[in-house]
Amino acid sequence: MKAVLHALLLPALPLFPQAAPSLPERLDAEFRVEVEKGKPKAASLSDRLAAEFSLPIHLNLGEAVLVLENKSPAAPLALEISFAEETTRRVPAPPARVTLAAGAPRAEHVVRIAGRPDGQYRTRIREIPAPGATAARPLVRTLIKQTLPEPPPPENPRDVRGTRLLFLDDWLLASRAGTVRRVHPPELFPVVPWKNHPDLARFPRNTISDFHVDADGAMNVRVTAARASRGNDMANAQTTRYWLKSADLRDWEPVKKPAPPHPGATFANSPLHLSAPPLPPGAVCRPHDPALDGPPDIAQVRVYYTGLLHETLDWAGFKVPGRRVVSVWDKTPGLRLVLKNPVTEIPSNKNGVPEKNDWSSVNDNFGRPLLSADGKTLRFWQTRRVPRHAPFRVHYDNLFSARIQVTWSSDDGIHWTPAAFAPPGPGDSPFLQHYDMRVWREENGALEMAYLQIYDARLQQISTELVCSRDGVLWRRVDPGNPFLKNGAPGEWNFGFSRPTANRRRMAFGDHYYETMHGVDALHFMALVAAPVADRSTIPDDIYRTRYGGRMAGPDGLPSSPIWKWYGSWDALLNATRGERSTPALFRYRRDRWASLSPENRTATVLTKPLSAPGQTLALNALAAAGEIRVEVRDAGGSPLPGYSGPDAARFSGDATAAPLRWSGGAVSRLPGHPFTLAIHLRNASLFALEFAP
């Protein structure tokens, strides 16, 4: 049974009281229940109550939902829920009282956070005991609220000459009523030479490190293969590299060396701002001195991730510990100035929970830096860890925390601002997290896109969604819940992981784009067991009954999870782990066809904001094989233009990535020289992009 509880407020308290308030002090005292030496501690409320927010981070939301579960549903449970901001200890609202009725084990308490200042709030959940009874030790949960402004609107009119406009967001749209935005997943082609060459099957860790199309139109890929990818067995990993060739992307044959690339194939690389390179001999590294060195040049600032190990790096005598991100100014090839050490840091863990709980508490998923298109802001990405509790704690996961990507931005390399990166929202499963991401730019730098890897901790699967941003800070999922790179069925090559490779490159050939990815046929916890091991037969038979202190086999472990329906026994889990394989793959999709606007029913109209493209032509990237698209050109105020509207509108039917448009019955091919808007009428059609060209 689920119920929505409404607050029974105590007498009103002033918002952010200026005098030393007694309430935060009382809350702190309740949280730190101290007992005299030798006396037993009071029982914890966690013995009878599970409580957690449905979302780890609340971005641009007016409400937070605290889910409460009465573990003893035969008896009611009276609670007081109060808040205090983590650093300032300010109290944003008076406490609320709720009662979990007998026979109602789960309820949702809605917390109104609209208007509350951004911050991290300690949520204390205290039992209101019956007269004469001893109160249990309260629970403390974290509520994180952040507000990010909308990016500035486009200039009016927007100059779109020489631009391909994608329909991943509404930045340039005045209206699009009656449309839906749909991601169009690509074709996936696993590169599996071991079907015909069993000797290559002894390498379970496989990735594509290079690829191209040759003059005959065949695909050539270079595979890096190893028996282990990390850990103590790396010395026995037996790494090898080899080239493969395929004419149909299905049957792959080894070749001694690849054929030369086709002259018509082009590559687009991500515009990454590289991490700090090794220092040359005789170089100097020291802390930045503003009086001596002046303000940093952000174009020369680098961000360095020192790795997951506890090793210390030596930069010309300057010691930098591992497990942190450091920003440096490479002022000259021989002079490195340390600006911020650390920006973020991977904290130590206790029972899978990070010892720190703030924005700089991260894990090892590091997104490489990127300088903004205007050259003024440097950004990098790293996953924050937010502790999670029952009922949304996954006991068989390797961490008792949610991983959420964070954008770190700086205009000087010294002062860094964190922002949540497209976190899960109210319509998502409470078990969704982020794993990793890849960023690039489109629309001549006006649009940033990313492949965001979505991790379902309950299912232990990783898929990839499409997200985009106009300012590099506020990111949105293009089609939430619908992956661009989907997982396969149980046992298939991408059942557990379906994600792009780290060295992202896109090749354009003919009418298609090609990119590299890899899949894993087993689940996340299996990959953690298998990846470091060169000899899978050495994996202990009881690995899952003992892993993480035995919690994988406990009452909240694997046998009670949805994973069990796929395997059904410990032996089946073990066999799947010992046979785990990382498969390299290519994915292919029509040019610029990441996502489309389509009618929600049969017809719809899309109106653009004012545009400017004097003398340019316009081409459609669209699919209207069983329908039609009509494009009207109107003036900047939306009034029809003679020769471009009504019966003179351009029409398109078919399937093309760059179909040129003509108006006035085909007599006019160029857009007007003054600002205009477009009215695009869709009938059983999908619109992907507009291309403006001379």
Side-chain angles (χ1 to χ4, degrees):
M1 177 179 179
K2 178 185 288 188
V4 177
L5 300 175
H6 297 280
L8 300 175
L9 298 180
L10 296 177
L13 296 176
L15 188 66
F16 291 102
Q18 299 302 311
S22 60
L23 182 57
E25 295 168 356
R26 177 170 68 82
L27 297 177
D28 280 341
E30 291 171 355
F31 174 53
R32 298 191 302 268
V33 177
E34 302 292 346
V35 296
E36 296 180 12
K37 188 175 181 180
K39 290 186 178 180
K41 289 184 178 181
S44 172
L45 186 55
S46 63
D47 296 336
R48 288 182 288 146
L49 177 70
E52 183 59 283
F53 288 97
S54 58
L55 298 177
I57 292 179
H58 300 80
L59 176 63
N60 293 348
L61 295 175
E63 293 182 343
V65 177
L66 179 64
V67 178
L68 305 166
E69 286 190 354
N70 188 350
K71 295 182 180 180
S72 302
L77 189 59
L79 304 169
E80 181 188 87
I81 304 171
S82 53
F83 302 90
E85 206 280 327
E86 189 81 39
T87 55
T88 65
R89 297 177 64 224
R90 290 175 172 176
V91 178
R97 288 184 176 180
V98 301
T99 298
L100 299 181
R106 172 177 280 214
E108 292 182 352
H109 173 59
V110 177
V111 180
R112 310 297 178 182
I113 59 176
R116 180 181 295 190
D118 285 4
Q120 183 165 302
Y121 294 85
R122 282 193 178 188
T123 305
R124 292 177 174 82
I125 306 167
R126 183 180 72 88
E127 180 188 16
I128 303 174
T134 301
R137 285 182 289 135
L139 304 182
V140 176
R141 299 294 181 258
T142 298
L143 189 158
I144 302 171
K145 177 182 184 291
Q146 188 172 49
T147 305
L148 297 178
E150 292 290 331
E155 63 270 24
N156 187 4
R158 175 72 176 179
D159 189 343
V160 293
R161 287 175 291 181
T163 302
R164 284 201 300 268
L165 298 183
L166 305 174
F167 288 90
L168 305 184
D169 64 0
D170 295 340
W171 194 59
L172 281 171
L173 300 183
S175 69
R176 61 174 188 91
T179 64
V180 292
R181 184 171 279 116
R182 294 194 179 102
V183 159
H184 288 249
E187 298 177 273
L188 308 184
F189 299 96
V191 178
V192 286
W194 41 82
K195 290 193 305 182
N196 299 323
H197 301 275
D199 58 308
L200 299 177
R202 70 182 186 275
F203 299 104
R205 319 305 305 163
N206 301 276
T207 58
I208 295 176
S209 55
D210 196 5
F211 73 106
H212 65 261
V213 170
D214 63 26
D216 296 328
M219 184 67 73
N220 294 249
V221 301
R222 191 186 193 199
V223 175
T224 299
R227 297 196 64 192
S229 62
R230 57 186 177 85
N232 295 332
D233 275 6
M234 282 302 292
N236 303 315
Q238 300 178 22
T239 301
T240 186
R241 293 175 178 84
Y242 54 87
W243 281 91
L244 300 167
K245 185 173 182 175
S246 175
D248 59 5
L249 301 181
R250 289 173 174 83
D251 293 319
W252 299 88
E253 290 296 324
V255 293
K256 291 185 177 180
K257 68 176 184 177
H262 194 290
T266 59
F267 282 91
N269 292 309
S270 299
L272 297 174
H273 199 59
L274 298 178
S275 296
L279 285 171
V284 174
C285 181
R286 59 172 172 80
H288 172 241
D289 183 340
L292 176 64
D293 305 315
D297 180 352
I298 195 65
Q300 296 176 326
V301 173
R302 306 288 185 261
V303 178
Y304 197 93
Y305 171 49
T306 61
L308 185 59
L309 302 179
H310 290 272
E311 298 176 350
T312 298
L313 302 182
D314 188 341
W315 286 346
F318 190 93
K319 306 296 183 182
V320 182
R323 301 172 65 84
R324 62 177 56 186
V325 167
V326 180
S327 66
V328 301
W329 178 14
D330 279 354
K331 190 171 184 179
T332 68
L335 176 61
R336 174 170 297 168
L337 305 174
V338 179
L339 300 174
K340 183 72 172 177
N341 178 21
V343 181
T344 63
E345 186 173 8
I346 302 174
S348 300
N349 299 322
K350 184 178 181 181
N351 297 326
V353 178
E355 292 181 359
K356 293 170 57 181
N357 183 17
D358 59 26
W359 286 103
S360 66
S361 175
V362 297
N363 80 337
D364 57 310
N365 298 110
F366 175 73
R368 291 179 292 175
L370 177 66
L371 191 64
S372 62
D374 61 9
K376 296 180 179 179
T377 306
L378 182 62
R379 298 187 181 95
F380 73 92
W381 293 266
Q382 200 165 19
T383 47
R384 176 180 176 176
R385 293 180 55 186
V386 180
R388 296 291 272 171
H389 304 83
F392 304 131
R393 170 174 285 179
V394 180
H395 287 258
Y396 46 86
D397 193 25
N398 64 308
L399 295 176
F400 279 165
S401 54
R403 284 152 274 198
I404 302 298
Q405 283 285 345
V406 172
T407 303
W408 287 89
S409 303
S410 177
D411 59 7
D412 61 5
I414 301 171
H415 305 92
W416 293 85
T417 302
F421 182 98
D428 291 311
S429 162
F431 301 101
L432 291 192
Q433 305 179 20
H434 295 164
Y435 204 74
D436 211 341
M437 42 80 75
R438 307 283 181 263
V439 177
W440 74 98
R441 294 195 182 104
E442 298 290 339
E443 294 188 5
N444 297 337
L447 176 68
E448 292 190 10
M449 295 176 60
Y451 292 138
L452 175 62
Q453 295 164 36
I454 301 291
Y455 174 44
D456 189 324
R458 193 161 184 246
L459 300 180
Q460 294 283 294
Q461 291 178 302
I462 297 169
S463 59
T464 300
E465 286 194 13
L466 197 66
V467 298
C468 66
S469 175
R470 288 292 173 177
D471 61 2
V473 177
L474 180 61
W475 290 80
R476 288 191 171 93
R477 294 154 70 193
V478 173
D479 189 2
N482 294 315
F484 186 67
L485 300 179
K486 298 181 178 181
N487 295 106
E492 292 186 355
W493 65 275
N494 60 341
F495 172 53
F497 292 62
S498 195
R499 55 193 297 229
T501 52
N503 56 332
R504 181 184 181 272
R505 298 173 72 208
R506 184 178 76 219
M507 183 183 72
F509 181 65
D511 212 20
H512 287 84
Y513 288 154
Y514 296 80
E515 298 191 49
T516 59
M517 63 174 293
H518 78 272
V520 178
D521 55 6
L523 302 177
H524 181 262
F525 66 82
M526 300 178 187
L528 290 180
V529 170
V533 182
D535 182 357
R536 304 294 183 82
S537 67
T538 63
I539 296 175
D541 293 346
D542 61 348
I543 181 68
Y544 293 127
R545 290 186 179 89
T546 59
R547 193 164 178 80
Y548 310 133
R551 67 176 191 251
M552 299 186 84
D556 298 309
L558 291 170
S560 61
S561 76
I563 292 169
W564 205 252
K565 69 182 180 184
W566 295 323
Y567 297 98
S569 70
W570 295 109
D571 287 342
L573 286 169
L574 185 64
N575 290 336
T577 303
R578 288 175 173 166
E580 181 261 10
R581 178 178 295 279
S582 173
T583 298
L586 294 164
F587 60 96
R588 179 178 71 182
Y589 52 103
R590 298 283 295 279
R591 189 177 67 130
D592 297 328
R593 289 193 176 182
W594 290 283
S596 71
L597 282 182
S598 304
E600 192 169 13
N601 293 312
R602 186 170 175 268
T603 62
T605 297
V606 176
L607 301 177
T608 72
K609 295 178 180 178
L611 307 173
S612 175
Q616 299 258 296
T617 62
L618 176 60
L620 286 185
N621 187 333
L623 173 60
E628 183 187 60
I629 297 179
R630 288 191 305 114
V631 180
E632 293 185 281
V633 183
R634 301 176 178 179
D635 65 19
S639 299
L641 283 176
Y644 286 95
S645 299
D648 291 326
R651 297 174 181 270
F652 169 77
S653 293
D655 181 1
T657 58
L661 296 182
R662 300 179 72 90
W663 294 267
S664 297
V668 176
S669 63
R670 297 199 175 272
L671 293 162
H674 53 76
F676 60 87
T677 61
L678 298 175
I680 306 171
H681 307 281
L682 306 173
R683 179 174 62 81
N684 295 334
S686 294
L687 177 63
F688 297 92
L690 301 177
E691 185 169 357
F692 299 85

